[in-house]
Amino acid sequence: MEHVWDALERRIAARLLHLENTQQLKQMLIEEWALLPQEMLHQLVLSMRRRCEATIAKHNRCPTGDRRTLMCPTATSVHVGGEGM
């Protein structure tokens, strides 16, 4: 998600000189969100499984904080109980 917010931030920063109120900021965010390249969003979604699996492997827990792999939405194995619970 950080990549999406970074892209939005760069796009909005180019337009901030003309910002007069928060309603305009909201409208800019909506417009820029709609203009984000769909391929970029698609690639980020596809990379999420790999990123989650890497986090699980590194920290022995799900990115959501649940150590029981069964409860992790990105788990590739089912493991409940054992050490570290």
Side-chain angles (χ1 to χ4, degrees):
M1 284 302 296
E2 296 86 20
H3 297 293
V4 175
W5 286 114
D6 288 342
L8 272 175
E9 183 178 22
R10 285 190 305 271
R11 295 167 86 86
I12 291 295
R15 297 175 60 180
L16 281 180
L17 296 175
H18 305 98
L19 183 67
E20 295 179 16
N21 56 50
T22 56
Q23 184 59 35
Q24 283 183 337
L25 176 59
K26 179 181 176 182
Q27 187 59 40
M28 281 185 205
L29 283 167
I30 291 169
E31 291 169 6
E32 293 299 338
W33 178 265
L35 295 172
L36 285 173
Q38 290 300 303
E39 182 59 27
M40 177 192 77
L41 298 174
H42 181 70
Q43 290 302 317
L44 288 171
V45 168
L46 290 178
S47 73
M48 287 307 297
R49 182 177 192 92
R50 178 184 47 80
R51 292 169 187 260
C52 289
E53 288 172 347
T55 300
I56 292 167
K58 182 176 181 181
H59 301 288
N60 190 29
R61 66 182 173 87
C62 180
T64 62
D66 196 325
R67 295 179 81 68
R68 297 167 296 160
T69 327
L70 179 64
M71 301 304 291
C72 181
T74 60
T76 57
S77 63
V78 175
H79 171 78
V80 178
E83 295 294 321
M85 292 290 296

Coordinates of all heavy atoms in Angstrom, one line a residue:
M1 N 0.8 -1.2 0.0 CA 0.0 0.0 0.0 C 0.9 1.3 0.0 O 0.4 2.3 -0.5 CB -0.9 0.0 1.2 CG -2.1 -0.9 1.1 SD -3.2 -0.6 -0.3 CE -3.8 1.0 0.0
E2 N 2.1 1.1 0.6 CA 2.9 2.3 0.6 C 3.2 2.9 -0.8 O 3.2 4.1 -1.0 CB 4.2 2.0 1.3 CG 4.1 1.6 2.8 CD 3.9 0.2 3.0 OE1 4.1 -0.6 2.0 OE2 3.3 -0.2 4.0
H3 N 3.3 2.0 -1.7 CA 3.6 2.4 -3.1 C 2.5 3.2 -3.7 O 2.7 4.2 -4.4 CB 3.9 1.2 -4.0 CG 5.2 0.4 -3.6 ND1 6.4 1.0 -3.6 CD2 5.3 -0.8 -3.0 CE1 7.3 0.1 -3.2 NE2 6.6 -1.0 -2.8
V4 N 1.3 2.8 -3.4 CA 0.1 3.5 -3.9 C 0.0 4.9 -3.3 O -0.2 5.9 -3.9 CB -1.2 2.7 -3.6 CG1 -2.4 3.5 -4.0 CG2 -1.2 1.4 -4.3
W5 N 0.2 5.0 -1.9 CA 0.2 6.3 -1.3 C 1.3 7.2 -1.8 O 1.1 8.4 -1.9 CB 0.2 6.1 0.2 CG -1.1 5.6 0.8 CD1 -1.3 4.4 1.4 CD2 -2.3 6.3 0.7 NE1 -2.6 4.3 1.7 CE2 -3.3 5.4 1.4 CE3 -2.8 7.5 0.3 CZ2 -4.6 5.8 1.5 CZ3 -4.1 7.9 0.4 CH2 -5.0 7.0 1.0
D6 N 2.5 6.6 -2.0 CA 3.6 7.4 -2.6 C 3.2 8.0 -3.9 O 3.5 9.1 -4.2 CB 4.9 6.6 -2.7 CG 5.5 6.2 -1.3 OD1 5.2 6.9 -0.4 OD2 6.3 5.3 -1.3
A7 N 2.6 7.1 -4.8 CA 2.2 7.6 -6.1 C 1.2 8.7 -6.0 O 1.3 9.7 -6.7 CB 1.7 6.4 -6.9
L8 N 0.2 8.5 -5.1 CA -0.8 9.6 -4.9 C -0.2 10.8 -4.4 O -0.5 11.9 -4.8 CB -1.9 9.1 -3.9 CG -3.1 8.3 -4.5 CD1 -4.0 7.8 -3.4 CD2 -3.8 9.1 -5.5
E9 N 0.7 10.7 -3.4 CA 1.4 11.9 -2.8 C 2.1 12.7 -3.9 O 2.0 13.9 -3.9 CB 2.3 11.5 -1.7 CG 3.0 12.6 -1.0 CD 3.9 12.2 0.1 OE1 4.4 11.0 0.1 OE2 4.2 13.0 1.0
R10 N 2.8 12.0 -4.8 CA 3.6 12.7 -5.9 C 2.6 13.4 -6.8 O 2.8 14.6 -7.2 CB 4.4 11.7 -6.6 CG 5.7 11.3 -5.9 CD 6.6 10.5 -6.8 NE 6.0 9.4 -7.4 CZ 5.9 8.1 -6.9 NH1 6.4 7.9 -5.7 NH2 5.4 7.1 -7.6
R11 N 1.5 12.8 -7.1 CA 0.5 13.4 -8.0 C -0.2 14.6 -7.4 O -0.4 15.6 -8.1 CB -0.5 12.3 -8.5 CG 0.1 11.2 -9.3 CD -0.8 10.0 -9.5 NE -1.7 10.1 -10.6 CZ -1.4 9.8 -11.8 NH1 -0.3 9.3 -12.1 NH2 -2.4 9.9 -12.8
I12 N -0.5 14.5 -6.1 CA -1.2 15.6 -5.4 C -0.2 16.7 -5.2 O -0.6 17.9 -5.4 CB -1.8 15.1 -4.1 CG1 -2.9 14.1 -4.3 CG2 -2.2 16.3 -3.2 CD1 -4.1 14.7 -5.0
A13 N 1.0 16.4 -4.9 CA 2.0 17.5 -4.6 C 2.2 18.4 -5.8 O 2.3 19.6 -5.7 CB 3.4 16.9 -4.3
A14 N 2.0 17.9 -7.0 CA 2.1 18.7 -8.2 C 0.9 19.7 -8.3 O 1.0 20.7 -9.0 CB 2.2 17.8 -9.5
R15 N -0.1 19.4 -7.7 CA -1.4 20.2 -7.8 C -1.6 21.1 -6.5 O -2.5 21.9 -6.5 CB -2.6 19.3 -8.0 CG -2.5 18.6 -9.3 CD -3.6 17.6 -9.5 NE -4.9 18.3 -9.4 CZ -6.1 17.6 -9.5 NH1 -6.1 16.3 -9.7 NH2 -7.2 18.3 -9.5
L16 N -0.8 20.9 -5.5 CA -1.1 21.6 -4.2 C -1.0 23.1 -4.3 O -1.6 23.8 -3.4 CB -0.2 21.1 -3.1 CG -0.6 19.7 -2.5 CD1 0.4 19.3 -1.4 CD2 -2.0 19.8 -1.9
L17 N -0.3 23.6 -5.2 CA -0.2 25.1 -5.3 C -1.6 25.8 -5.5 O -1.8 26.9 -5.2 CB 0.7 25.5 -6.5 CG 2.2 25.0 -6.3 CD1 2.9 25.4 -7.6 CD2 2.8 25.7 -5.1
H18 N -2.5 25.0 -6.0 CA -3.8 25.6 -6.3 C -4.9 25.2 -5.3 O -6.1 25.4 -5.5 CB -4.3 25.1 -7.7 CG -3.3 25.5 -8.8 ND1 -2.4 24.6 -9.3 CD2 -3.1 26.6 -9.4 CE1 -1.6 25.2 -10.2 NE2 -2.0 26.4 -10.3
L19 N -4.4 24.6 -4.2 CA -5.4 24.1 -3.2 C -5.9 25.2 -2.3 O -5.1 26.0 -1.8 CB -4.7 23.0 -2.3 CG -5.5 22.4 -1.2 CD1 -6.6 21.5 -1.9 CD2 -4.6 21.6 -0.3
E20 N -7.2 25.3 -2.2 CA -7.8 26.4 -1.3 C -8.5 25.9 -0.1 O -8.6 26.6 0.9 CB -8.8 27.2 -2.2 CG -8.1 27.9 -3.3 CD -9.0 28.7 -4.2 OE1 -10.2 29.0 -3.7 OE2 -8.7 29.1 -5.3
N21 N -8.9 24.6 -0.1 CA -9.6 24.1 1.1 C -9.6 22.5 1.1 O -9.1 21.9 0.1 CB -11.1 24.6 1.1 CG -11.8 24.2 -0.1 OD1 -11.8 23.1 -0.6 ND2 -12.5 25.2 -0.7
T22 N -10.1 21.9 2.1 CA -10.0 20.5 2.2 C -11.0 19.8 1.2 O -10.7 18.7 0.8 CB -10.4 20.0 3.7 OG1 -11.6 20.5 4.0 CG2 -9.3 20.4 4.7
Q23 N -12.0 20.4 0.9 CA -12.9 19.8 -0.1 C -12.2 19.7 -1.5 O -12.4 18.7 -2.2 CB -14.2 20.7 -0.3 CG -15.2 20.1 -1.3 CD -15.7 18.7 -0.8 OE1 -15.8 18.4 0.3 NE2 -15.9 17.9 -1.8
Q24 N -11.4 20.7 -1.8 CA -10.6 20.6 -3.0 C -9.6 19.4 -2.9 O -9.3 18.7 -3.9 CB -9.8 21.9 -3.3 CG -10.7 22.9 -3.9 CD -9.9 24.2 -4.3 OE1 -8.9 24.4 -3.7 NE2 -10.5 25.0 -5.2
L25 N -8.9 19.3 -1.8 CA -8.0 18.2 -1.5 C -8.7 16.8 -1.7 O -8.2 15.9 -2.4 CB -7.4 18.3 -0.2 CG -6.4 17.1 0.2 CD1 -5.3 17.0 -0.8 CD2 -5.9 17.3 1.6
K26 N -9.9 16.7 -1.2 CA -10.7 15.5 -1.3 C -10.9 15.2 -2.8 O -10.8 14.1 -3.3 CB -12.0 15.6 -0.5 CG -12.8 14.4 -0.6 CD -14.1 14.5 0.2 CE -15.0 13.3 0.0 NZ -16.3 13.5 0.7
Q27 N -11.4 16.2 -3.5 CA -11.7 16.1 -4.9 C -10.4 15.7 -5.7 O -10.4 14.8 -6.6 CB -12.3 17.3 -5.5 CG -12.8 17.2 -6.9 CD -13.8 16.1 -7.1 OE1 -14.7 15.9 -6.2 NE2 -13.7 15.3 -8.2
M28 N -9.3 16.3 -5.4 CA -8.0 15.9 -6.0 C -7.6 14.5 -5.8 O -7.2 13.8 -6.7 CB -6.9 16.8 -5.5 CG -6.8 18.2 -6.1 SD -5.3 19.0 -5.4 CE -5.8 20.7 -5.6
L29 N -7.8 14.0 -4.6 CA -7.5 12.6 -4.2 C -8.4 11.7 -5.0 O -7.9 10.7 -5.6 CB -7.7 12.4 -2.7 CG -6.5 12.9 -1.9 CD1 -7.0 12.9 -0.4 CD2 -5.3 12.1 -2.1
I30 N -9.6 12.0 -5.1 CA -10.6 11.1 -5.9 C -10.1 11.1 -7.4 O -10.1 10.0 -8.0 CB -12.0 11.6 -5.7 CG1 -12.5 11.4 -4.3 CG2 -12.9 11.0 -6.8 CD1 -13.8 12.0 -3.9
E31 N -9.8 12.3 -7.9 CA -9.4 12.3 -9.3 C -8.1 11.6 -9.6 O -8.0 10.8 -10.6 CB -9.3 13.8 -9.8 CG -10.6 14.6 -9.8 CD -10.4 16.1 -10.0 OE1 -9.3 16.5 -10.2 OE2 -11.4 16.8 -9.9
E32 N -7.1 11.8 -8.7 CA -5.8 11.2 -8.9 C -5.9 9.7 -8.7 O -5.2 8.9 -9.4 CB -4.8 11.8 -8.0 CG -4.5 13.3 -8.4 CD -3.9 13.4 -9.8 OE1 -3.4 12.4 -10.4 OE2 -4.0 14.5 -10.4
W33 N -6.7 9.2 -7.8 CA -6.9 7.8 -7.5 C -7.4 7.2 -8.8 O -7.0 6.1 -9.2 CB -7.9 7.6 -6.4 CG -8.2 6.1 -6.1 CD1 -9.2 5.4 -6.6 CD2 -7.4 5.2 -5.4 NE1 -9.1 4.1 -6.2 CE2 -8.0 4.0 -5.4 CE3 -6.2 5.4 -4.6 CZ2 -7.4 2.8 -4.8 CZ3 -5.7 4.3 -4.0 CH2 -6.3 3.0 -4.1
A34 N -8.4 7.8 -9.5 CA -9.0 7.2 -10.7 C -7.9 7.2 -11.8 O -8.1 6.4 -12.7 CB -10.2 8.1 -11.1
L35 N -6.9 8.1 -11.8 CA -5.9 8.1 -12.8 C -4.7 7.3 -12.6 O -3.8 7.2 -13.4 CB -5.5 9.6 -13.0 CG -6.5 10.6 -13.5 CD1 -6.0 12.0 -13.4 CD2 -6.9 10.2 -14.9
L36 N -4.6 6.6 -11.4 CA -3.5 5.7 -11.2 C -3.5 4.6 -12.2 O -4.6 4.0 -12.5 CB -3.6 5.1 -9.8 CG -3.2 6.0 -8.6 CD1 -3.5 5.3 -7.3 CD2 -1.8 6.5 -8.7
P37 N -2.3 4.3 -12.7 CA -2.3 3.2 -13.7 C -2.7 1.9 -13.2 O -2.3 1.4 -12.2 CB -0.8 3.2 -14.1 CG -0.2 4.5 -13.6 CD -1.0 4.9 -12.4
Q38 N -3.7 1.3 -13.9 CA -4.3 0.0 -13.4 C -3.2 -1.1 -13.4 O -3.2 -2.0 -12.5 CB -5.4 -0.4 -14.3 CG -6.7 0.5 -14.1 CD -7.2 0.4 -12.7 OE1 -7.5 -0.6 -12.1 NE2 -7.2 1.6 -12.0
E39 N -2.3 -1.0 -14.3 CA -1.2 -2.1 -14.3 C -0.3 -2.0 -13.1 O 0.1 -3.0 -12.5 CB -0.3 -1.9 -15.6 CG 0.7 -3.0 -15.7 CD 0.2 -4.4 -15.8 OE1 -0.9 -4.6 -16.2 OE2 1.0 -5.3 -15.4
M40 N -0.1 -0.8 -12.6 CA 0.7 -0.6 -11.4 C 0.0 -1.2 -10.2 O 0.5 -2.0 -9.4 CB 1.0 0.9 -11.1 CG 1.7 1.1 -9.8 SD 1.8 2.8 -9.2 CE 0.1 3.0 -8.6
L41 N -1.3 -0.9 -10.1 CA -2.1 -1.5 -9.0 C -2.2 -3.0 -9.1 O -2.1 -3.7 -8.1 CB -3.5 -0.9 -9.0 CG -3.6 0.6 -8.8 CD1 -5.0 1.1 -9.0 CD2 -3.0 1.0 -7.5
H42 N -2.4 -3.5 -10.3 CA -2.4 -5.0 -10.6 C -1.1 -5.6 -10.1 O -1.2 -6.7 -9.4 CB -2.7 -5.2 -12.0 CG -2.8 -6.7 -12.4 ND1 -3.9 -7.5 -11.9 CD2 -2.0 -7.5 -13.1 CE1 -3.7 -8.7 -12.4 NE2 -2.6 -8.8 -13.0
Q43 N 0.0 -5.1 -10.5 CA 1.3 -5.6 -10.1 C 1.5 -5.6 -8.6 O 2.1 -6.6 -8.0 CB 2.5 -4.9 -10.8 CG 2.5 -5.2 -12.3 CD 2.7 -6.6 -12.6 OE1 3.4 -7.4 -12.0 NE2 1.9 -7.1 -13.6
L44 N 1.0 -4.6 -7.9 CA 1.2 -4.5 -6.5 C 0.3 -5.6 -5.8 O 0.7 -6.2 -4.8 CB 0.8 -3.1 -6.0 CG 1.8 -2.0 -6.3 CD1 1.2 -0.6 -5.9 CD2 3.1 -2.2 -5.5
V45 N -0.9 -5.8 -6.3 CA -1.8 -6.8 -5.8 C -1.1 -8.2 -6.0 O -1.1 -9.0 -5.0 CB -3.2 -6.8 -6.4 CG1 -4.0 -8.0 -6.1 CG2 -3.9 -5.5 -6.0
L46 N -0.5 -8.4 -7.1 CA 0.1 -9.7 -7.4 C 1.3 -9.9 -6.5 O 1.6 -11.1 -6.1 CB 0.5 -9.8 -8.9 CG -0.6 -9.9 -9.9 CD1 0.0 -10.0 -11.3 CD2 -1.4 -11.2 -9.6
S47 N 2.0 -8.9 -6.1 CA 3.2 -9.0 -5.3 C 2.9 -9.3 -3.8 O 3.7 -9.6 -3.0 CB 4.1 -7.8 -5.4 OG 3.5 -6.7 -4.7
M48 N 1.6 -9.0 -3.4 CA 1.3 -9.1 -2.0 C 1.5 -10.5 -1.4 O 2.0 -10.7 -0.3 CB -0.2 -8.7 -1.7 CG -0.4 -7.2 -1.8 SD 0.8 -6.2 -0.8 CE 0.3 -6.8 0.8
R49 N 1.2 -11.6 -2.1 CA 1.4 -12.9 -1.6 C 2.8 -13.2 -1.3 O 3.2 -13.6 -0.2 CB 0.8 -14.0 -2.5 CG 1.0 -15.4 -2.0 CD 0.4 -16.4 -2.9 NE 0.3 -17.7 -2.2 CZ -0.7 -18.1 -1.5 NH1 -1.8 -17.4 -1.4 NH2 -0.7 -19.3 -0.9
R50 N 3.7 -12.8 -2.2 CA 5.1 -13.0 -2.0 C 5.6 -12.2 -0.8 O 6.4 -12.6 0.0 CB 5.9 -12.6 -3.3 CG 7.4 -12.6 -3.2 CD 8.1 -12.1 -4.4 NE 7.6 -10.9 -4.9 CZ 8.0 -9.7 -4.4 NH1 8.8 -9.6 -3.4 NH2 7.5 -8.6 -5.0
R51 N 5.2 -10.9 -0.7 CA 5.6 -10.1 0.4 C 5.1 -10.6 1.7 O 5.9 -10.6 2.7 CB 5.0 -8.7 0.2 CG 5.6 -7.9 -0.9 CD 4.8 -6.6 -1.2 NE 5.2 -6.0 -2.4 CZ 6.0 -4.9 -2.4 NH1 6.4 -4.4 -1.2 NH2 6.3 -4.3 -3.5
C52 N 3.9 -11.1 1.8 CA 3.4 -11.7 3.0 C 4.1 -13.0 3.4 O 4.5 -13.2 4.6 CB 1.9 -12.0 2.9 SG 0.9 -10.5 2.9
E53 N 4.4 -13.8 2.4 CA 5.1 -15.1 2.7 C 6.5 -14.7 3.2 O 7.1 -15.4 4.1 CB 5.2 -15.9 1.4 CG 3.9 -16.6 1.1 CD 3.8 -17.3 -0.2 OE1 4.8 -17.1 -1.1 OE2 2.9 -18.0 -0.5
A54 N 7.2 -13.7 2.6 CA 8.5 -13.3 3.1 C 8.5 -12.8 4.5 O 9.3 -13.1 5.3 CB 9.1 -12.2 2.2
T55 N 7.4 -12.1 4.9 CA 7.2 -11.6 6.3 C 7.0 -12.8 7.2 O 7.6 -12.8 8.3 CB 6.1 -10.6 6.4 OG1 6.3 -9.5 5.5 CG2 5.9 -10.1 7.8
I56 N 6.2 -13.7 6.8 CA 5.9 -14.9 7.7 C 7.2 -15.7 7.9 O 7.6 -16.0 9.0 CB 4.9 -15.8 7.0 CG1 3.5 -15.1 7.1 CG2 4.8 -17.1 7.7 CD1 2.5 -15.7 6.2
A57 N 8.0 -15.9 6.8 CA 9.3 -16.6 6.9 C 10.3 -15.9 7.8 O 11.0 -16.5 8.6 CB 9.8 -16.8 5.5
K58 N 10.3 -14.6 7.7 CA 11.3 -13.8 8.5 C 10.9 -13.7 9.9 O 11.8 -13.8 10.8 CB 11.4 -12.4 7.9 CG 12.4 -11.6 8.6 CD 12.6 -10.2 8.0 CE 13.6 -9.4 8.7 NZ 13.8 -8.1 8.1
H59 N 9.7 -13.5 10.2 CA 9.2 -13.3 11.6 C 8.4 -14.4 12.2 O 8.0 -14.3 13.4 CB 8.4 -12.0 11.7 CG 9.1 -10.8 11.2 ND1 10.1 -10.2 11.9 CD2 9.0 -10.1 10.0 CE1 10.6 -9.2 11.2 NE2 9.9 -9.1 10.1
N60 N 8.2 -15.5 11.5 CA 7.5 -16.6 12.0 C 6.1 -16.2 12.4 O 5.5 -16.7 13.4 CB 8.2 -17.4 13.1 CG 7.5 -18.7 13.4 OD1 6.9 -19.3 12.5 ND2 7.6 -19.1 14.6
R61 N 5.5 -15.2 11.7 CA 4.1 -14.9 12.1 C 3.5 -14.2 10.9 O 4.2 -13.7 10.0 CB 4.0 -13.9 13.3 CG 4.7 -12.6 13.1 CD 4.6 -11.8 14.4 NE 5.3 -10.6 14.3 CZ 4.8 -9.4 13.8 NH1 3.6 -9.4 13.4 NH2 5.6 -8.3 13.8
C62 N 2.2 -14.1 10.9 CA 1.4 -13.5 9.8 C 1.6 -12.0 9.9 O 1.7 -11.4 11.0 CB 0.0 -13.9 10.0 SG -1.1 -13.2 8.8
P63 N 1.5 -11.2 8.8 CA 1.6 -9.8 8.9 C 0.5 -9.2 9.7 O 0.6 -8.1 10.2 CB 1.5 -9.3 7.4 CG 1.9 -10.5 6.6 CD 1.5 -11.7 7.5
T64 N -0.6 -9.9 9.9 CA -1.7 -9.4 10.8 C -1.4 -9.6 12.3 O -2.1 -9.1 13.1 CB -3.0 -10.1 10.5 OG1 -2.9 -11.5 10.8 CG2 -3.4 -9.9 9.1
G65 N -0.2 -10.3 12.6 CA 0.2 -10.5 13.9 C -0.2 -11.8 14.5 O 0.1 -12.2 15.6
D66 N -1.0 -12.6 13.8 CA -1.5 -13.9 14.3 C -0.4 -14.9 14.0 O 0.0 -15.2 12.9 CB -2.8 -14.3 13.6 CG -3.5 -15.4 14.3 OD1 -2.8 -16.3 14.9 OD2 -4.8 -15.4 14.3
R67 N 0.1 -15.5 15.1 CA 1.2 -16.5 15.0 C 0.6 -17.9 14.5 O 1.4 -18.7 14.1 CB 1.9 -16.7 16.3 CG 2.6 -15.5 16.7 CD 3.3 -15.6 18.0 NE 4.6 -16.3 18.0 CZ 5.7 -15.9 17.4 NH1 5.7 -14.8 16.8 NH2 6.8 -16.6 17.5
R68 N -0.7 -18.1 14.6 CA -1.3 -19.3 14.1 C -1.5 -19.2 12.6 O -2.4 -18.5 12.2 CB -2.6 -19.6 14.8 CG -2.4 -19.8 16.3 CD -3.8 -19.8 17.0 NE -4.3 -18.4 16.9 CZ -5.6 -18.1 17.0 NH1 -6.5 -19.0 17.3 NH2 -6.0 -16.9 16.8
T69 N -0.7 -19.8 11.8 CA -0.7 -19.7 10.4 C -2.1 -19.9 9.8 O -2.5 -19.3 8.8 CB 0.3 -20.7 9.7 OG1 1.4 -20.8 10.6 CG2 0.8 -20.1 8.4
L70 N -2.9 -20.8 10.4 CA -4.2 -21.1 10.0 C -5.1 -19.8 9.9 O -5.9 -19.7 9.0 CB -4.9 -22.1 10.9 CG -6.4 -22.5 10.6 CD1 -6.4 -23.2 9.3 CD2 -6.9 -23.3 11.7
M71 N -4.9 -18.9 10.8 CA -5.7 -17.6 10.8 C -5.1 -16.6 9.8 O -5.8 -15.6 9.6 CB -5.7 -17.1 12.2 CG -6.3 -18.0 13.2 SD -7.9 -18.6 12.8 CE -8.8 -17.1 13.0
C72 N -3.9 -16.8 9.3 CA -3.3 -15.8 8.4 C -3.9 -16.0 7.0 O -3.9 -17.1 6.4 CB -1.8 -16.0 8.3 SG -1.0 -14.8 7.2
P73 N -4.5 -14.9 6.4 CA -5.1 -15.0 5.1 C -4.1 -15.3 4.0 O -4.5 -15.8 2.9 CB -5.8 -13.7 4.9 CG -5.0 -12.8 5.8 CD -4.6 -13.6 7.0
T74 N -2.8 -15.2 4.2 CA -1.9 -15.4 3.1 C -1.1 -16.7 3.4 O -0.1 -17.0 2.6 CB -0.8 -14.3 3.0 OG1 -0.2 -14.2 4.3 CG2 -1.5 -13.0 2.7
A75 N -1.5 -17.5 4.3 CA -0.7 -18.7 4.7 C -0.7 -19.7 3.6 O -1.7 -19.9 2.9 CB -1.2 -19.3 6.0
T76 N 0.4 -20.4 3.4 CA 0.5 -21.5 2.4 C 0.4 -22.8 3.1 O 0.3 -23.9 2.5 CB 1.7 -21.4 1.6 OG1 2.9 -21.4 2.5 CG2 1.8 -20.1 0.7
S77 N 0.5 -22.8 4.4 CA 0.4 -24.1 5.2 C -0.5 -23.9 6.4 O -0.8 -22.8 6.7 CB 1.8 -24.5 5.7 OG 2.3 -23.5 6.6
V78 N -1.0 -25.0 6.9 CA -1.9 -24.9 8.1 C -1.1 -25.4 9.3 O -0.6 -26.6 9.3 CB -3.1 -25.8 7.9 CG1 -4.0 -25.8 9.1 CG2 -3.9 -25.3 6.7
H79 N -0.9 -24.5 10.2 CA -0.1 -24.9 11.4 C -0.8 -24.2 12.6 O -0.9 -23.0 12.6 CB 1.3 -24.4 11.3 CG 2.1 -24.5 12.6 ND1 2.6 -25.7 13.1 CD2 2.4 -23.6 13.6 CE1 3.2 -25.5 14.2 NE2 3.1 -24.3 14.5
V80 N -1.2 -25.0 13.5 CA -1.9 -24.4 14.7 C -1.2 -25.1 15.9 O -1.0 -26.3 16.0 CB -3.4 -24.7 14.8 CG1 -4.0 -24.1 16.0 CG2 -4.0 -24.1 13.6
G81 N -0.9 -24.3 16.9 CA -0.2 -24.8 18.1 C 1.3 -24.9 18.0 O 1.8 -24.3 17.1
G82 N 1.9 -25.6 18.9 CA 3.4 -25.7 18.9 C 4.1 -24.5 19.6 O 3.5 -23.8 20.3
E83 N 5.3 -24.4 19.4 CA 6.2 -23.4 20.0 C 5.8 -22.0 19.6 O 5.4 -21.8 18.4 CB 7.6 -23.6 19.7 CG 8.2 -24.9 20.3 CD 8.2 -24.9 21.8 OE1 8.5 -23.9 22.4 OE2 7.9 -26.0 22.4
G84 N 6.0 -21.0 20.4 CA 5.8 -19.6 20.1 C 4.4 -19.1 20.1 O 4.1 -18.0 19.7
M85 N 3.5 -20.0 20.6 CA 2.1 -19.5 20.6 C 1.9 -18.7 21.8 O 2.3 -18.8 22.8 CB 1.1 -20.7 20.7 CG 1.1 -21.5 19.4 SD 0.4 -20.7 18.1 CE -1.3 -20.5 18.6

